[in-house]
Amino acid sequence: MKMFVFEYNGQVSENYHAGGGLMVIAKDKDHVNELIKKEEYIEIKDSEWEDVIVYDLKNDEEPRVFVFPDAGCC
């Protein structure tokens, strides 16, 4: 399994400030896309894939999506 870290994505929530961080535990890019299809508001643009940080995990972790919404200016 791998950990995909998107430090900032433009669309991860329905909030006014819709962007934020995103971390996904998945086998590969296709698996990431499969997992986020289940999440109503997450979109990953091609340019965001260019900046993704990928870590190989030592253990076979459970696939999971973590969203860190932008807190905004308020």
Side-chain angles (χ1 to χ4, degrees), residues 15-55:
N15 297 346
Y16 176 78
H17 296 281
L22 179 66
M23 184 177 76
V24 183
I25 307 296
K27 292 181 278 190
D28 52 31
K29 181 179 178 178
D30 291 337
H31 193 202
V32 171
N33 287 322
E34 178 184 325
L35 291 170
I36 66 166
K37 280 184 185 177
K38 300 172 187 174
E39 304 291 330
E40 186 173 358
Y41 300 102
I42 298 174
E43 294 175 15
I44 303 175
K45 296 179 180 174
D46 290 339
S47 60
E48 293 165 336
W49 275 110
E50 293 173 11
D51 295 329
V52 68
I53 300 165
V54 181
Y55 295 99

